[in-house]
Structure formats: C-alpha cells, structure tokens
Amino acid sequence: MTTRGHVPQRSCIACRQAATKGELLRIVRTLTGEIKADPTGKVPGRGAYLCRKEKCVQIAIKEKKLERALGKRPGDNLLAEIAALIKQAGPE
Ligand SMILES: [Zn+2]
C-alpha cells in the first residue's frame, strides 16, 4: 500500500491541461453573479480554473470558454484583473 495522499486535480478551461488546484487560478461566479478572480480559492460560487498564464487567460475570455464554464459573460475588466494577478506572482 502506498501512503500517497489524493491530490484533487482540476483542468484549465483553455488548454485542458490537468494540474492541482494550487497551480491553477480560480475564476468564480459569486452568489451575487459577479465574475472575478479568486486567488484564495475560497469564494463561494461556481468556479472555473485557468493556468496562471496570460495566454490561457486570453483564450478563455476570447473564445468564450469562461462564459460557457460560468454561464455568464465576464466584464471587460476581468482580463486586466487576472493579468495583474499573474504578474504579481511573477515567473515560475
Ligand atoms: Zn491552460
């Protein structure tokens, strides 16, 4: 028997690559219908996951993947909000 713990995996809605929750950025549609980035992963609501890469974020928004995953079109400021978050974290 192995003692390896189960790590829940999510996949990026843009490139479909699987990763752990900590490696991905969560985007949430909150209970009030607002769509925003959720770096803590704790905001209640419907979530979608994205790689912390500007390319995936752009694909998700421009190809309406985020809209489909969350059931609502994100605001125009979301791309800038996420881009700022990714830059804060710095390169790997
Ligand atoms: Zn991705």
Side-chain angles (χ1 to χ4, degrees):
M1 291 291 246
T2 63
T3 54
R4 213 154 53 100
H6 176 73
V7 179
Q9 296 255 304
R10 297 288 184 273
S11 54
C12 169
I13 59 167
C15 69
R16 300 269 161 208
Q17 201 179 316
T20 61
K21 279 175 80 173
E23 290 172 293
L24 299 170
L25 179 66
R26 183 170 185 251
I27 311 300
V28 66
R29 178 181 169 182
T30 66
L31 301 178
T32 55
E34 190 191 354
I35 293 182
K36 60 179 190 176
D38 172 24
T40 65
K42 287 174 184 166
V43 176
R46 186 167 161 182
Y49 292 85
L50 275 175
C51 298
R52 293 174 184 271
K53 291 176 194 159
E54 214 167 321
K55 193 178 151 196
C56 285
V57 176
Q58 284 183 2
I59 290 171
I61 291 177
K62 288 182 182 155
E63 295 185 9
K64 302 193 191 320
K65 290 180 190 295
L66 203 55
E67 183 175 333
R68 240 172 280 148
L70 298 177
K72 189 185 173 186
R73 201 180 77 84
D76 292 337
N77 60 336
L78 187 72
L79 180 58
E81 188 189 338
I82 297 172
L85 269 172
I86 293 171
K87 280 189 188 117
Q88 258 175 37
E92 292 287 304

